[in-house]
């Protein structure tokens, strides 16, 4: 679908007081029909949680929510878990049925599917369950949500933006505290542990990642904090986040141990300029790839184009990485309510790297940052 033809989705229901699961279920059914699907099959994980508030662990026992346009959503669960399912926040909107050990759960779901229809399936559905459905319904075809319905969770309502803003503020507070601690002479993993502790102290329930890359390790965008001792003169990239009240945080800042060289300042300034230019490009109707192009052009013009080796950003919500993706080839237009990272970087192999990342929400008039710590080069001890 071309950018001009892409419809602007209706934001999901919900207010600052909490999610409206019934509205989300209705919206999912409408979007499934608009995408040419007979329905959606949702398994345990972020999609099921977002749609229903029900959070069972994924196991070998099949749990599946079936959403078909014009019908009441059906939730098929193991009989031993049915009491929990019936207490889900969205239970009034669902028809909950159970299956018992010894029965074939795929045979229980099969009669509810059109014999030759196409369904969207949660990205993280277990292969065990999808293969079971394929055996039970050989004429049915499936497509992953990210491919067939990338907009399902992409546009956030007021409640979700508020949760993401709170998670961003907590991550900012963790950054402000960690930069007051000593870096020189400590291992990367020790600083990473400080970040994890501070995220939890500031209200996160889950820490998903604490990347701390120092010196030459900073040139690896997804470096895993290790035993390297941080030295005077190191550039240190810190990328960290997790979940707070069910919504994600993800921010990156690059600090320097002691005074940086002129070259290090130049690279940092270029990344900062690219991040700012990409932020200023955000507005409804702009193609996702255009934001990537803006950031990339700044870095390319400064002579570092080959060292910007990843996309400019990714969506965030109940998961850290989800649509939309700010990358070349993504023609999807930005829509008011979309939340995503803007995180350009320059990585000089064997030497150092710089990345600056904020979570941004697209508003009617442009972008709004959900991370607000300073972007300038911060010197740490």
């Amino acid at each position: 679908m071309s950018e001009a033809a892409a419809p602007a989705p209706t934001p999901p229901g919900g207010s600052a007081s909490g999610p409206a699961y019934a509205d989300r279920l209705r919206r999912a059914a409408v979007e499934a029909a608009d995408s040419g699907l007979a329905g959606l099959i949702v398994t345990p994980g972020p999609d099921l949680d977002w749609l229903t508030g029900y959070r069972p662990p994924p196991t070998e026992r099949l749990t599946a929510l079936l959403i078909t346009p014009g019908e009441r959503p059906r939730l098929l669960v193991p009989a031993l878990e049915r009491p929990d399912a019936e207490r889900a926040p969205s239970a009034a909107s669902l028809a909950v049925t159970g299956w018992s050990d010894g029965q074939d759960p795929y045979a229980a779901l099969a009669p509810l599917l059109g014999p030759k229809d196409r369904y969207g399936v949660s990205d993280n559905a277990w292969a065990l369950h999808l293969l079971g459905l394929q055996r039970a319904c050989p004429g049915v075809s499936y497509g992953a949500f990210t491919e067939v319905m990338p907009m399902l969770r992409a546009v956030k309502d007021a409640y979700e933006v508020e949760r993401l803003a709170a998670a961003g503020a907590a991550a900012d507070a963790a950054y402000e505290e960690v930069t007051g601690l000593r870096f020189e002479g400590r291992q990367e993993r020790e600083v990473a542990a400080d970040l994890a502790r501070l995220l939890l102290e500031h209200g996160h329930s889950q820490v998903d990642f604490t990347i701390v890359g120092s010196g030459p390790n900073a040139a690896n965008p997804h470096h895993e904090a290790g035993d390297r001792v941080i030295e005077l003169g190191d550039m240190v990239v810190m990328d960290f986040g997790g979940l707070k009240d069910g919504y994600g945080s993800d921010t990156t800042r690059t600090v320097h141990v002691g005074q940086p060289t002129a070259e290090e300042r130049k690279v940092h300034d270029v990344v900062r300029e690219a991040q700012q230019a990409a932020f200023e490009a955000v507005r409804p109707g702009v193609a996702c790839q255009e934001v990537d192009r803006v950031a990339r052009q700044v870095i390319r013009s400064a002579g570092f184009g080959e060292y910007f080796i990843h996309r400019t950003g990714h969506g965030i919500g109940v998961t850290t990485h989800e649509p939309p993706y700010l990358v070349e080839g993504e023609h999807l237009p930005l829509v008011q309510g979309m939340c995503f990272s803007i995180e350009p970087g320059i990585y000089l192999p064997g030497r150092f790297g710089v990345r600056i990342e904020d979570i941004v929400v697209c508003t009617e008039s442009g972008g709004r940052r959900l991370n607000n710590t300073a972007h300038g080069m911060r010197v740490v001890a």
Side-chain angles (χ1 to χ4, degrees):
M1 183 178 292
S2 69
E3 179 181 341
T10 301
S15 66
S17 62
Y21 294 112
D23 288 343
R24 292 179 179 179
L25 289 163
R26 283 192 292 269
R27 177 184 173 223
V30 170
E31 291 196 15
D34 289 346
S35 300
L37 301 170
L40 306 176
I41 299 171
V42 189
T43 57
D47 294 315
L48 184 63
D49 185 6
W50 185 82
L51 285 163
T52 69
Y54 182 45
R55 305 174 185 176
T59 71
E60 74 285 356
R61 291 187 172 98
L62 176 67
T63 293
L65 171 69
L66 176 63
I67 300 174
T68 51
E71 298 184 14
R72 189 180 187 189
R74 299 169 182 261
L75 181 61
L76 178 67
V77 300
L80 74 168
E81 296 175 5
R82 183 168 180 169
D84 291 333
E86 290 176 337
R87 288 193 293 269
S90 60
S93 300
L94 306 174
V96 180
T97 57
W99 63 273
S100 299
D101 285 353
Q103 295 180 325
D104 182 350
Y106 310 109
L109 187 58
L112 305 178
L113 306 182
K116 295 184 179 181
D117 287 338
R118 181 169 174 79
Y119 291 83
V121 181
S122 302
D123 287 1
N124 61 338
W126 280 19
L128 171 71
H129 298 314
L130 187 56
L131 291 170
L133 281 174
Q134 288 176 331
R135 287 192 299 270
C137 311
V140 175
S141 61
Y142 307 92
F145 279 4
T146 292
E147 295 178 354
V148 298
M149 289 185 58
M151 295 288 285
L152 180 61
R153 300 195 326 250
V155 180
K156 273 61 178 180
D157 59 30
Y159 171 81
E160 293 183 287
V161 172
E162 184 179 280
R163 299 281 74 72
L164 286 164
D172 286 353
Y175 171 74
E176 293 292 356
E177 286 197 41
V178 81
T179 52
L181 303 178
R182 188 160 190 84
F183 281 64
E184 184 184 359
R186 301 178 69 210
Q187 293 179 340
E188 293 170 340
R189 67 172 70 255
E190 294 179 281
V191 176
D194 287 334
L195 280 169
R197 171 180 57 81
L198 289 167
L199 284 172
L200 294 173
E201 288 180 2
H202 286 284
H204 279 61
S205 60
Q206 176 177 312
V207 177
D208 291 336
F209 53 94
T210 51
I211 295 171
V212 177
S214 63
N217 289 340
N220 177 357
H222 281 177
H223 172 69
E224 185 173 344
D227 295 334
R228 184 183 185 278
V229 175
I230 301 171
E231 301 174 354
L232 181 66
D234 279 349
M235 196 82 86
V236 183
V237 173
M238 295 184 292
D239 182 347
F240 52 98
L243 293 180
K244 182 180 187 297
D245 297 327
Y247 282 82
S249 66
D250 185 2
T251 187
T252 307
R253 293 292 184 267
T254 303
V255 301
H256 198 276
V257 184
Q259 292 301 317
T261 65
E263 181 189 26
E264 288 170 331
R265 284 194 181 277
K266 176 183 176 180
V267 172
H268 192 280
D269 286 346
V270 171
V271 173
R272 181 173 56 174
E273 181 183 348
Q275 210 270 353
Q276 179 64 27
F279 170 74
E280 291 175 358
V282 172
R283 62 184 181 279
V286 170
C288 289
Q289 69 175 5
E290 185 60 28
V291 181
D292 179 81
R293 288 174 175 177
V294 168
R296 208 163 294 279
Q297 182 57 39
V298 172
I299 291 174
R300 186 182 298 116
S301 296
F304 297 101
E306 66 182 296
Y307 303 113
F308 181 10
I309 57 177
H310 55 72
R311 65 195 174 201
T312 292
H314 57 81
I316 189 170
V318 293
T319 56
T320 307
H321 284 198
E322 60 186 49
Y325 296 102
L326 309 184
V327 65
E328 183 66 31
E330 180 52 85
H331 302 280
L332 189 73
L334 296 180
V335 174
Q336 183 178 349
M338 282 183 173
C339 296
F340 43 84
S341 68
I342 296 181
E343 50 179 308
I346 294 174
Y347 309 93
L348 304 180
R351 301 184 62 205
F352 64 89
V354 175
R355 182 163 68 256
I356 299 172
E357 174 186 16
D358 294 326
I359 299 304
V360 173
V361 57
C362 181
T363 73
E364 183 179 9
S365 58
R368 170 193 166 196
R369 297 185 194 272
L370 300 186
N371 293 106
N372 293 289
T373 54
H375 290 173
M377 175 79 79
R378 183 168 297 191
V379 174
V380 297

